[in-house]
Amino acid sequence: MKHPVVMPHLGATGGDVKIIEWQVTEFDVVAAGAALLTVETDKSAVEVEAFRGGRLVGPLAAAGSSIAPGEIIGYLSEEPAEGPSIAGARSAPYNVRTASPPALPGAALVPAGHHEPRTARAVVKLSRVQTGNAAAQFAERLVEAFATMVLIRRYEEHLYQLFLQGLVPGTLHQCQGQEAVAVGVCSALRRDDFVYSTHRPVGHLIAKGASLEAITAEIWGKATGCVGGKGGQMHLADFAVGAMVSNAIVGANIPIATGSAMSFRLQGLDRVAVSFFGDGASNIGAFHEGLNLAAVQDAPVIFICENNLYAASTHFGLTARITDIAERASAYGMPGVVVDGMDVEAVFAAARTAVARARAGKGPTLIEAKTYRYRGHSRGDPGHYRGRDEHDAWLARDPIERSRRRLTAEFAVGATRLDEIESAAQARVEAAVEFARRSPEPSPGSGLEHVFA
Ligand SMILES: Cc1ncc(C[n+]2csc(CCOP(=O)(O)OP(=O)(O)O)c2C)c(N)n1
Ligand SMILES: [Mg+2]
């Protein structure tokens, strides 16, 4: 059987793209995720990845030709993947199974500036100190966190597959690998607390409890989308659960979350605001202004820096002379905490402390979660600037597998129950996509609604 390879929606305007060159030749066997060809869009040169493994067969669209999104450019035939696989595939499957648990660093929760040794275990392992009801309750919370992380992973992977088949309009910035940060932080929040996200918002929105249908419809630009189809993937929101509109301007949500937190204080509310941002954003002016303002105002805001080591293709080491971004907190007089962002329990513990501090009127905290995104910066970026060893080392610390191991080994939660959670998540994701695809387009008349106040 042959599966058509179609041109995804690349570039900024959704127009035609030009094939620069094929990176594999006809009859090569490729792995899922391998870069097939390079194309030039209205924005940049990007790579198109194989949405499945197989043998590339023609007719192949010629180099130099202009191709519309959705047009077939070749086929992947369903053959046993014999012969050499093309290097470059970065598989990050739903269920990453590792043979034996890798050596995990301690749930690092250490003051910034203290790099070695990272052994302070501030996360009390409840199973060791509590028994009976408390342990059971804790296990249930961990199961919940596991389920949310799985939902995020399944969602992102499913959309990745659809994108590569040309079925997602617009680009995607995905968060596979970073789920523990979103879930750990949002588990420490109330529904009426606000979160401000970025161009990579899906995990934060799902973790805050946003409607999966409304998120998905927004990505498809439909009338039922969470902002009426006007925003797309980078501008997701669900005010009902405190998920404020995500912001694609790097670092821009930092002062906005600070302002939000200041307004909570002025109104005498005990809510907190959370700003999620990346390592790249920590080099932006708004980061420094926002943190300083929050500190002097004792604003109830928590700054969550998801340090995934890269801003697009640039390694953090090329843009700063420090290793721990949390160190910067001391310049503004607030606590700075480094946490293992691949450990949902560690993230939760750090967030809970910061939230309690903020609610008590003691001001902001900067938490740096060390994490990794398994996929490229956006679709069209297979992330070849990263070494395979680096990628695989992070994959071996997968937060979902880590929770699964802990639940089965330490809390005797049955593998069947966890498998059912995975299947249910997949079904929810597919239902949300179905909802989005069947939803109506926005009417032209709605174009100016909610634009001016
Ligand atoms: C002010 C600004 N500069 C540049 C960009 C283009 N841009 C979008 S995402 C990105 C990288 C951001 O990196 P990081 O803050 O580490 O977040 P990550 O993508 O790793 O989640 C850049 C440079 C932008 N959107 N806004
Ligand atoms: Mg980054």
Side-chain angles (χ1 to χ4, degrees):
M1 188 177 170
K2 292 197 309 182
H3 301 269
V5 177
V6 300
M7 185 60 74
H9 292 256
L10 299 163
T13 57
D16 290 5
V17 300
K18 189 169 152 193
I19 297 183
I20 300 174
E21 61 175 355
W22 283 88
Q23 295 187 19
V24 294
T25 45
E26 200 175 347
F27 306 121
D28 276 345
V29 173
V30 300
L36 291 177
L37 68 163
T38 313
V39 302
E40 189 185 319
T41 73
D42 55 353
K43 194 176 170 195
S44 60
V46 299
E47 290 176 327
V48 178
E49 298 155 59
F51 70 96
R52 52 165 295 130
R55 191 178 293 279
L56 182 69
V57 292
L60 302 184
S65 54
S66 280
I67 308 286
E71 216 174 294
I72 296 175
I73 52 174
Y75 296 86
L76 285 165
S77 79
E78 210 169 86
E79 291 182 357
E82 63 210 13
S85 283
I86 301 298
R90 296 267 186 267
S91 71
Y94 303 139
N95 298 307
V96 186
R97 299 271 186 259
T98 43
S100 56
L104 299 171
L109 187 61
V110 294
H114 295 256
H115 302 165
E116 298 293 339
R118 277 192 193 193
T119 49
R121 289 189 74 91
V123 180
V124 179
K125 297 295 180 186
L126 288 192
S127 59
R128 291 199 195 114
V129 296
Q130 299 191 15
T131 51
N133 251 354
Q137 274 170 17
F138 182 81
E140 281 314 305
R141 293 194 70 176
L142 198 51
V143 169
E144 234 173 76
F146 171 84
T148 310
M149 290 195 291
V150 165
L151 183 61
I152 296 169
R153 177 72 57 86
R154 291 275 175 160
Y155 188 85
E156 292 287 61
E157 283 298 298
H158 191 69
L159 260 68
Y160 171 77
Q161 292 300 324
L162 296 179
F163 178 87
L164 292 179
Q165 295 170 66
L167 298 173
V168 177
T171 191
L172 295 174
H173 299 79
Q174 304 203 285
C175 70
Q176 295 95 321
Q178 303 186 186
E179 296 88 351
V181 187
V183 175
V185 169
C186 291
S187 302
L189 298 177
R190 293 195 317 233
R191 188 184 169 97
D192 65 349
D193 293 327
F194 283 3
V195 300
Y196 289 85
S197 182
T198 66
H199 53 283
R200 202 178 298 291
V202 161
H204 306 143
L205 270 280
I206 292 179
K208 194 67 172 66
S211 154
L212 210 58
E213 282 71 21
I215 291 174
T216 316
E218 189 55 44
I219 293 173
W220 261 260
K222 296 298 183 72
T224 50
C226 57
V227 296
K230 290 192 182 72
Q233 181 261 299
M234 291 189 271
H235 304 105
L236 303 178
D238 189 341
F239 298 145
V241 296
M244 311 314 281
V245 182
S246 56
N247 196 323
I249 310 295
V250 171
N253 79 27
I254 296 172
I256 295 173
T258 300
S260 201
M262 286 165 63
S263 86
F264 291 152
R265 273 205 86 187
L266 287 171
Q267 294 172 79
L269 303 171
D270 70 343
R271 294 179 179 177
V272 303
V274 168
S275 160
F276 285 102
F277 56 91
D279 45 289
S282 73
N283 288 330
I284 291 263
F287 167 90
H288 302 278
E289 282 183 46
L291 264 69
N292 191 54
L293 181 65
V296 297
Q297 293 289 333
D298 289 328
V301 53
I302 297 100
F303 300 108
I304 308 290
C305 179
E306 293 177 294
N307 183 354
N308 60 12
L309 283 176
Y310 293 88
S313 56
T314 305
H315 192 278
F316 186 69
L318 294 174
T319 62
R321 291 285 181 229
I322 55 170
T323 308
D324 294 330
I325 293 165
E327 264 186 49
R328 290 183 173 165
S330 64
Y332 304 109
M334 71 176 75
V337 174
V338 175
V339 69
D340 180 355
M342 308 302 270
D343 180 345
V344 72
E345 293 174 64
V347 175
F348 171 71
R352 188 178 47 184
T353 304
V355 168
R357 181 182 149 82
R359 280 203 216 288
K362 293 181 182 160
T365 301
L366 170 62
I367 296 174
E368 176 191 3
K370 307 276 192 190
T371 184
Y372 202 68
R373 59 166 158 73
Y374 295 157
R375 300 289 185 194
H377 168 65
S378 60
R379 297 294 13 106
D381 167 25
H384 287 163
Y385 41 85
R386 308 184 297 186
R388 192 176 188 112
D389 290 351
E390 174 186 291
H391 181 273
D392 291 350
W394 283 92
L395 202 58
R397 298 172 53 197
D398 187 72
I400 296 175
E401 284 308 297
R402 187 177 191 152
S403 291
R404 177 182 267 275
R405 277 196 305 271
R406 189 146 141 78
L407 282 166
T408 49
E410 295 185 38
F411 291 96
V413 175
T416 320
R417 181 170 174 208
L418 301 180
D419 291 345
E420 280 166 10
I421 287 173
E422 300 229 10
S423 312
Q426 185 65 27
R428 266 192 80 186
V429 168
E430 288 174 19
V433 169
E434 203 42 39
F435 170 83
R437 289 170 77 169
R438 284 166 186 266
S439 286
E441 300 286 344
S443 68
S446 69
L448 292 180
E449 276 171 20
H450 308 122
V451 175
F452 299 106

Tab-separated table of all heavy atoms in Angstrom, residues 242-295:
chain	number	residue	atom	x	y	z
A	242	GLY	N	-9.155	30.376	33.659
A	242	GLY	CA	-8.000	31.228	33.972
A	242	GLY	C	-6.832	31.083	33.013
A	242	GLY	O	-5.709	31.446	33.345
A	243	ALA	N	-7.103	30.522	31.835
A	243	ALA	CA	-6.033	30.449	30.824
A	243	ALA	C	-6.163	31.686	29.944
A	243	ALA	O	-7.047	31.746	29.087
A	243	ALA	CB	-6.164	29.171	30.002
A	244	MET	N	-5.327	32.675	30.217
A	244	MET	CA	-5.410	33.933	29.481
A	244	MET	C	-4.793	33.747	28.096
A	244	MET	O	-4.115	32.760	27.846
A	244	MET	CB	-4.724	35.050	30.272
A	244	MET	CG	-5.179	35.111	31.733
A	244	MET	SD	-6.982	35.006	31.937
A	244	MET	CE	-7.453	36.684	31.543
A	245	VAL	N	-5.015	34.708	27.212
A	245	VAL	CA	-4.573	34.508	25.824
A	245	VAL	C	-3.055	34.338	25.766
A	245	VAL	O	-2.308	35.149	26.316
A	245	VAL	CB	-4.994	35.691	24.927
A	245	VAL	CG1	-4.564	35.428	23.487
A	245	VAL	CG2	-6.493	35.907	24.995
A	246	SER	N	-2.630	33.263	25.137
A	246	SER	CA	-1.189	33.034	25.012
A	246	SER	C	-0.601	34.059	24.053
A	246	SER	O	-1.306	34.611	23.208
A	246	SER	CB	-0.910	31.605	24.569
A	246	SER	OG	-1.575	31.297	23.372
A	247	ASN	N	0.697	34.302	24.221
A	247	ASN	CA	1.321	35.452	23.576
A	247	ASN	C	2.567	35.007	22.821
A	247	ASN	O	3.493	34.455	23.409
A	247	ASN	CB	1.699	36.457	24.676
A	247	ASN	CG	1.998	37.825	24.134
A	247	ASN	OD1	2.581	37.961	23.072
A	247	ASN	ND2	1.595	38.834	24.870
A	248	ALA	N	2.589	35.245	21.525
A	248	ALA	CA	3.697	34.766	20.697
A	248	ALA	C	4.889	35.706	20.687
A	248	ALA	O	5.934	35.367	20.138
A	248	ALA	CB	3.205	34.535	19.269
A	249	ILE	N	4.733	36.886	21.287
A	249	ILE	CA	5.870	37.807	21.365
A	249	ILE	C	6.735	37.331	22.533
A	249	ILE	O	6.293	37.352	23.682
A	249	ILE	CB	5.421	39.266	21.632
A	249	ILE	CG1	4.315	39.689	20.663
A	249	ILE	CG2	6.610	40.204	21.570
A	249	ILE	CD1	4.690	39.755	19.227
A	250	VAL	N	7.951	36.907	22.212
A	250	VAL	CA	8.791	36.284	23.232
A	250	VAL	C	8.994	37.216	24.429
A	250	VAL	O	9.419	38.359	24.267
A	250	VAL	CB	10.153	35.877	22.615
A	250	VAL	CG1	11.123	35.429	23.694
A	250	VAL	CG2	9.944	34.780	21.583
A	251	GLY	N	8.661	36.739	25.601
A	251	GLY	CA	8.854	37.498	26.850
A	251	GLY	C	7.731	38.459	27.180
A	251	GLY	O	7.673	38.996	28.293
A	252	ALA	N	6.816	38.679	26.231
A	252	ALA	CA	5.823	39.745	26.419
A	252	ALA	C	4.847	39.459	27.551
A	252	ALA	O	4.306	40.387	28.159
A	252	ALA	CB	5.055	39.988	25.126
A	253	ASN	N	4.622	38.197	27.868
A	253	ASN	CA	3.621	37.932	28.909
A	253	ASN	C	4.176	38.177	30.318
A	253	ASN	O	3.420	38.177	31.281
A	253	ASN	CB	3.036	36.514	28.759
A	253	ASN	CG	3.928	35.420	29.292
A	253	ASN	OD1	4.730	35.628	30.192
A	253	ASN	ND2	3.786	34.226	28.756
A	254	ILE	N	5.477	38.388	30.430
A	254	ILE	CA	6.074	38.533	31.773
A	254	ILE	C	5.552	39.798	32.473
A	254	ILE	O	5.014	39.713	33.585
A	254	ILE	CB	7.619	38.473	31.692
A	254	ILE	CG1	8.041	37.077	31.193
A	254	ILE	CG2	8.248	38.799	33.033
A	254	ILE	CD1	9.523	36.936	30.870
A	255	PRO	N	5.655	40.976	31.848
A	255	PRO	CA	5.056	42.151	32.505
A	255	PRO	C	3.532	42.097	32.552
A	255	PRO	O	2.922	42.660	33.477
A	255	PRO	CB	5.521	43.337	31.664
A	255	PRO	CG	6.261	42.803	30.510
A	255	PRO	CD	6.432	41.332	30.661
A	256	ILE	N	2.917	41.415	31.596
A	256	ILE	CA	1.444	41.340	31.605
A	256	ILE	C	0.973	40.514	32.817
A	256	ILE	O	0.060	40.912	33.543
A	256	ILE	CB	0.915	40.737	30.286
A	256	ILE	CG1	1.243	41.669	29.118
A	256	ILE	CG2	-0.588	40.486	30.367
A	256	ILE	CD1	0.925	41.103	27.741
A	257	ALA	N	1.636	39.382	33.055
A	257	ALA	CA	1.283	38.564	34.227
A	257	ALA	C	1.543	39.353	35.512
A	257	ALA	O	0.781	39.261	36.480
A	257	ALA	CB	2.090	37.264	34.219
A	258	THR	N	2.608	40.141	35.502
A	258	THR	CA	2.924	40.966	36.675
A	258	THR	C	1.806	41.970	36.923
A	258	THR	O	1.341	42.147	38.063
A	258	THR	CB	4.269	41.696	36.453
A	258	THR	OG1	5.288	40.710	36.267
A	258	THR	CG2	4.625	42.588	37.626
A	259	GLY	N	1.346	42.610	35.852
A	259	GLY	CA	0.251	43.575	35.977
A	259	GLY	C	-1.011	42.911	36.495
A	259	GLY	O	-1.726	43.462	37.347
A	260	SER	N	-1.256	41.719	35.995
A	260	SER	CA	-2.416	40.957	36.427
A	260	SER	C	-2.330	40.668	37.929
A	260	SER	O	-3.305	40.841	38.678
A	260	SER	CB	-2.387	39.640	35.640
A	260	SER	OG	-3.602	39.040	35.601
A	261	ALA	N	-1.162	40.261	38.360
A	261	ALA	CA	-0.956	39.954	39.779
A	261	ALA	C	-1.136	41.216	40.625
A	261	ALA	O	-1.739	41.172	41.708
A	261	ALA	CB	0.440	39.363	39.984
A	262	MET	N	-0.633	42.334	40.126
A	262	MET	CA	-0.798	43.592	40.867
A	262	MET	C	-2.278	43.940	41.006
A	262	MET	O	-2.726	44.425	42.051
A	262	MET	CB	-0.038	44.722	40.164
A	262	MET	CG	1.478	44.620	40.349
A	262	MET	SD	2.408	45.664	39.193
A	262	MET	CE	1.858	47.298	39.678
A	263	SER	N	-3.043	43.655	39.953
A	263	SER	CA	-4.480	43.966	40.021
A	263	SER	C	-5.175	43.061	41.051
A	263	SER	O	-6.081	43.490	41.751
A	263	SER	CB	-5.139	43.862	38.648
A	263	SER	OG	-5.541	42.545	38.376
A	264	PHE	N	-4.723	41.812	41.156
A	264	PHE	CA	-5.304	40.930	42.186
A	264	PHE	C	-5.082	41.546	43.571
A	264	PHE	O	-5.975	41.560	44.422
A	264	PHE	CB	-4.655	39.540	42.155
A	264	PHE	CG	-4.992	38.715	40.935
A	264	PHE	CD1	-4.101	37.748	40.465
A	264	PHE	CD2	-6.188	38.884	40.260
A	264	PHE	CE1	-4.398	36.973	39.358
A	264	PHE	CE2	-6.500	38.105	39.146
A	264	PHE	CZ	-5.600	37.157	38.699
A	265	ARG	N	-3.881	42.048	43.781
A	265	ARG	CA	-3.564	42.630	45.103
A	265	ARG	C	-4.429	43.847	45.374
A	265	ARG	O	-4.971	44.018	46.455
A	265	ARG	CB	-2.094	43.068	45.129
A	265	ARG	CG	-1.161	41.963	45.525
A	265	ARG	CD	0.108	42.512	46.122
A	265	ARG	NE	-0.014	42.775	47.546
A	265	ARG	CZ	0.919	43.382	48.251
A	265	ARG	NH1	2.021	43.802	47.682
A	265	ARG	NH2	0.757	43.569	49.531
A	266	LEU	N	-4.529	44.717	44.346
A	266	LEU	CA	-5.308	45.948	44.522
A	266	LEU	C	-6.772	45.633	44.830
A	266	LEU	O	-7.433	46.368	45.560
A	266	LEU	CB	-5.218	46.815	43.264
A	266	LEU	CG	-3.881	47.522	43.047
A	266	LEU	CD1	-3.826	48.184	41.666
A	266	LEU	CD2	-3.667	48.569	44.144
A	267	GLN	N	-7.248	44.524	44.256
A	267	GLN	CA	-8.647	44.153	44.486
A	267	GLN	C	-8.830	43.335	45.760
A	267	GLN	O	-9.938	42.908	46.068
A	267	GLN	CB	-9.173	43.331	43.297
A	267	GLN	CG	-9.249	44.117	41.992
A	267	GLN	CD	-9.581	43.192	40.827
A	267	GLN	OE1	-10.723	42.821	40.624
A	267	GLN	NE2	-8.555	42.786	40.086
A	268	GLY	N	-7.725	43.083	46.438
A	268	GLY	CA	-7.813	42.316	47.681
A	268	GLY	C	-8.109	40.840	47.454
A	268	GLY	O	-8.635	40.167	48.341
A	269	LEU	N	-7.783	40.329	46.272
A	269	LEU	CA	-8.026	38.916	45.969
A	269	LEU	C	-6.772	38.107	46.291
A	269	LEU	O	-5.658	38.624	46.188
A	269	LEU	CB	-8.369	38.745	44.482
A	269	LEU	CG	-9.577	39.548	43.983
A	269	LEU	CD1	-9.683	39.484	42.464
A	269	LEU	CD2	-10.854	39.005	44.632
A	270	ASP	N	-6.966	36.838	46.642
A	270	ASP	CA	-5.779	36.031	46.941
A	270	ASP	C	-5.397	35.139	45.751
A	270	ASP	O	-4.873	34.047	45.924
A	270	ASP	CB	-5.984	35.198	48.214
A	270	ASP	CG	-6.988	34.074	48.004
A	270	ASP	OD1	-7.755	34.133	47.008
A	270	ASP	OD2	-7.019	33.136	48.825
A	271	ARG	N	-5.674	35.617	44.572
A	271	ARG	CA	-5.302	34.843	43.384
A	271	ARG	C	-3.836	35.089	43.038
A	271	ARG	O	-3.255	36.096	43.426
A	271	ARG	CB	-6.115	35.303	42.184
A	271	ARG	CG	-7.587	35.029	42.278
A	271	ARG	CD	-8.183	35.593	41.008
A	271	ARG	NE	-9.600	35.389	40.923
A	271	ARG	CZ	-10.338	35.861	39.919
A	271	ARG	NH1	-9.769	36.548	38.950
A	271	ARG	NH2	-11.624	35.650	39.887
A	272	VAL	N	-3.282	34.167	42.235
A	272	VAL	CA	-1.926	34.369	41.735
A	272	VAL	C	-1.944	34.308	40.212
A	272	VAL	O	-2.873	33.762	39.611
A	272	VAL	CB	-0.932	33.314	42.276
A	272	VAL	CG1	-0.919	33.310	43.800
A	272	VAL	CG2	-1.247	31.925	41.730
A	273	ALA	N	-0.913	34.898	39.620
A	273	ALA	CA	-0.734	34.824	38.167
A	273	ALA	C	0.565	34.094	37.887
A	273	ALA	O	1.529	34.205	38.654
A	273	ALA	CB	-0.684	36.227	37.567
A	274	VAL	N	0.560	33.325	36.807
A	274	VAL	CA	1.760	32.577	36.413
A	274	VAL	C	2.154	32.998	35.007
A	274	VAL	O	1.309	33.092	34.114
A	274	VAL	CB	1.485	31.051	36.430
A	274	VAL	CG1	2.611	30.290	35.747
A	274	VAL	CG2	1.308	30.566	37.860
A	275	SER	N	3.430	33.264	34.840
A	275	SER	CA	3.953	33.540	33.501
A	275	SER	C	4.862	32.383	33.114
A	275	SER	O	5.846	32.100	33.799
A	275	SER	CB	4.750	34.847	33.523
A	275	SER	OG	5.628	34.900	32.417
A	276	PHE	N	4.502	31.680	32.028
A	276	PHE	CA	5.384	30.661	31.457
A	276	PHE	C	6.203	31.324	30.352
A	276	PHE	O	5.651	32.071	29.542
A	276	PHE	CB	4.567	29.527	30.815
A	276	PHE	CG	3.919	28.582	31.775
A	276	PHE	CD1	2.567	28.678	32.070
A	276	PHE	CD2	4.660	27.561	32.368
A	276	PHE	CE1	1.954	27.780	32.940
A	276	PHE	CE2	4.059	26.661	33.245
A	276	PHE	CZ	2.701	26.768	33.528
A	277	PHE	N	7.466	31.028	30.289
A	277	PHE	CA	8.287	31.555	29.199
A	277	PHE	C	9.517	30.677	29.037
A	277	PHE	O	9.791	29.808	29.869
A	277	PHE	CB	8.680	33.019	29.456
A	277	PHE	CG	9.382	33.229	30.770
A	277	PHE	CD1	10.758	33.161	30.861
A	277	PHE	CD2	8.653	33.462	31.931
A	277	PHE	CE1	11.407	33.334	32.070
A	277	PHE	CE2	9.292	33.635	33.156
A	277	PHE	CZ	10.668	33.563	33.224
A	278	GLY	N	10.266	30.914	27.966
A	278	GLY	CA	11.408	30.061	27.675
A	278	GLY	C	12.736	30.653	28.101
A	278	GLY	O	12.804	31.781	28.600
A	279	ASP	N	13.785	29.875	27.900
A	279	ASP	CA	15.145	30.351	28.176
A	279	ASP	C	15.466	31.559	27.296
A	279	ASP	O	16.097	32.516	27.741
A	279	ASP	CB	16.156	29.234	27.934
A	279	ASP	CG	15.892	28.489	26.642
A	279	ASP	OD1	14.891	27.743	26.576
A	279	ASP	OD2	16.660	28.664	25.669
A	280	GLY	N	15.001	31.527	26.056
A	280	GLY	CA	15.255	32.655	25.150
A	280	GLY	C	14.636	33.929	25.689
A	280	GLY	O	15.257	35.006	25.645
A	281	ALA	N	13.450	33.818	26.251
A	281	ALA	CA	12.748	34.994	26.771
A	281	ALA	C	13.496	35.625	27.939
A	281	ALA	O	13.353	36.822	28.198
A	281	ALA	CB	11.335	34.606	27.206
A	282	SER	N	14.311	34.823	28.637
A	282	SER	CA	15.012	35.383	29.799
A	282	SER	C	16.115	36.354	29.383
A	282	SER	O	16.724	36.998	30.228
A	282	SER	CB	15.602	34.259	30.666
A	282	SER	OG	16.732	33.685	30.030
A	283	ASN	N	16.373	36.463	28.078
A	283	ASN	CA	17.347	37.447	27.595
A	283	ASN	C	16.666	38.684	27.007
A	283	ASN	O	17.318	39.548	26.433
A	283	ASN	CB	18.242	36.820	26.515
A	283	ASN	CG	19.213	35.813	27.111
A	283	ASN	OD1	19.621	35.952	28.258
A	283	ASN	ND2	19.579	34.801	26.350
A	284	ILE	N	15.351	38.739	27.160
A	284	ILE	CA	14.577	39.854	26.593
A	284	ILE	C	14.383	40.924	27.674
A	284	ILE	O	14.242	40.599	28.857
A	284	ILE	CB	13.196	39.314	26.116
A	284	ILE	CG1	13.386	38.391	24.904
A	284	ILE	CG2	12.195	40.410	25.866
A	284	ILE	CD1	13.190	39.010	23.560
A	285	GLY	N	14.342	42.186	27.265
A	285	GLY	CA	14.190	43.279	28.230
A	285	GLY	C	12.978	43.127	29.126
A	285	GLY	O	13.037	43.429	30.323
A	286	ALA	N	11.876	42.647	28.545
A	286	ALA	CA	10.633	42.526	29.312
A	286	ALA	C	10.795	41.602	30.517
A	286	ALA	O	10.120	41.777	31.542
A	286	ALA	CB	9.511	42.018	28.413
A	287	PHE	N	11.685	40.616	30.413
A	287	PHE	CA	11.952	39.715	31.540
A	287	PHE	C	12.477	40.534	32.718
A	287	PHE	O	12.001	40.423	33.850
A	287	PHE	CB	12.974	38.653	31.111
A	287	PHE	CG	13.576	37.841	32.239
A	287	PHE	CD1	12.975	36.663	32.664
A	287	PHE	CD2	14.751	38.240	32.861
A	287	PHE	CE1	13.532	35.905	33.699
A	287	PHE	CE2	15.322	37.500	33.888
A	287	PHE	CZ	14.711	36.322	34.311
A	288	HIS	N	13.486	41.361	32.453
A	288	HIS	CA	14.140	42.115	33.522
A	288	HIS	C	13.200	43.172	34.116
A	288	HIS	O	13.114	43.332	35.326
A	288	HIS	CB	15.437	42.715	32.986
A	288	HIS	CG	16.364	41.653	32.464
A	288	HIS	ND1	17.182	40.923	33.292
A	288	HIS	CD2	16.532	41.144	31.212
A	288	HIS	CE1	17.849	40.016	32.569
A	288	HIS	NE2	17.463	40.134	31.305
A	289	GLU	N	12.488	43.866	33.247
A	289	GLU	CA	11.514	44.857	33.733
A	289	GLU	C	10.431	44.182	34.558
A	289	GLU	O	10.045	44.662	35.624
A	289	GLU	CB	10.813	45.544	32.554
A	289	GLU	CG	11.629	46.595	31.877
A	289	GLU	CD	10.808	47.264	30.774
A	289	GLU	OE1	9.638	47.603	31.022
A	289	GLU	OE2	11.341	47.415	29.662
A	290	GLY	N	9.919	43.101	34.013
A	290	GLY	CA	8.792	42.420	34.655
A	290	GLY	C	9.167	41.882	36.015
A	290	GLY	O	8.420	42.032	36.992
A	291	LEU	N	10.335	41.238	36.114
A	291	LEU	CA	10.751	40.670	37.398
A	291	LEU	C	11.020	41.766	38.424
A	291	LEU	O	10.651	41.642	39.596
A	291	LEU	CB	12.000	39.781	37.239
A	291	LEU	CG	11.684	38.281	37.093
A	291	LEU	CD1	11.011	37.983	35.766
A	291	LEU	CD2	12.931	37.440	37.260
A	292	ASN	N	11.648	42.839	37.982
A	292	ASN	CA	11.948	43.907	38.934
A	292	ASN	C	10.675	44.538	39.468
A	292	ASN	O	10.517	44.746	40.676
A	292	ASN	CB	12.837	44.962	38.266
A	292	ASN	CG	13.396	45.930	39.283
A	292	ASN	OD1	14.018	45.508	40.261
A	292	ASN	ND2	13.139	47.208	39.098
A	293	LEU	N	9.749	44.820	38.549
A	293	LEU	CA	8.484	45.423	38.964
A	293	LEU	C	7.744	44.499	39.933
A	293	LEU	O	7.244	44.938	40.977
A	293	LEU	CB	7.621	45.715	37.729
A	293	LEU	CG	6.264	46.371	37.991
A	293	LEU	CD1	6.450	47.767	38.573
A	293	LEU	CD2	5.457	46.465	36.693
A	294	ALA	N	7.696	43.221	39.589
A	294	ALA	CA	6.995	42.255	40.444
A	294	ALA	C	7.619	42.224	41.833
A	294	ALA	O	6.910	42.161	42.848
A	294	ALA	CB	7.040	40.869	39.807
A	295	ALA	N	8.948	42.281	41.878
A	295	ALA	CA	9.637	42.203	43.171
A	295	ALA	C	9.318	43.419	44.029
A	295	ALA	O	8.950	43.273	45.201
A	295	ALA	CB	11.138	42.072	42.956
